[in-house]
Amino acid sequence: AEGWLNGEPPAFGAPGTKLFVVDLWSQWCPYCARSAPGLTDLHARFAPKGVAFVGLSNMKRGSAEAFVREHKLAWPNGYGARSEHLAALGARSGMPGAGEYELAPTVYL
């Protein structure tokens, strides 16, 4: 990511971290917005039990800040992720006419 909101993500294997939830999102995506309240609830329930949450987006900082603030995402969220990195994570929409790259909502556990 170009930068991070809400702090840097924990390293894999960090003490006390048993599991990661990685959410790949974009501000324009209605499905990403719809999933945010559920992820926020999961974060409140499972973060104290060693589940780390990390968000990653291809959006620029201002758009990412607006999305994180609007949806009350309290965990680290990266912005400005490069297209090839997101595509390698399987988050490519393949939508016709979408341009070079569009992010599709993807969540990994």
Side-chain angles (χ1 to χ4, degrees):
E2 183 180 305
W4 292 91
L5 306 171
N6 298 330
E8 294 276 329
F12 286 107
T17 301
K18 300 175 186 173
L19 196 62
F20 276 83
V21 174
V22 180
D23 178 33
L24 308 177
W25 58 269
S26 193
Q27 185 187 29
W28 60 264
C29 172
Y31 304 107
C32 299
R34 285 186 209 150
S35 69
L39 287 171
T40 299
D41 290 345
L42 289 171
H43 178 261
R45 184 173 173 194
F46 290 104
K49 297 177 181 182
V51 178
F53 285 69
V54 177
L56 190 59
S57 178
N58 60 344
M59 304 303 296
K60 297 206 180 290
R61 183 181 181 122
S63 297
E65 285 175 330
F67 186 89
V68 166
R69 183 176 47 253
E70 177 182 352
H71 297 288
K72 300 174 178 72
L73 307 182
W75 52 89
N77 278 271
Y79 59 86
R82 295 179 53 181
S83 300
E84 58 270 19
H85 295 152
L86 294 169
L89 292 170
R92 191 177 194 111
S93 71
M95 294 169 41
E100 175 193 338
Y101 184 82
E102 292 291 333
L103 186 68
T106 307
V107 178
Y108 290 105
L109 180 64

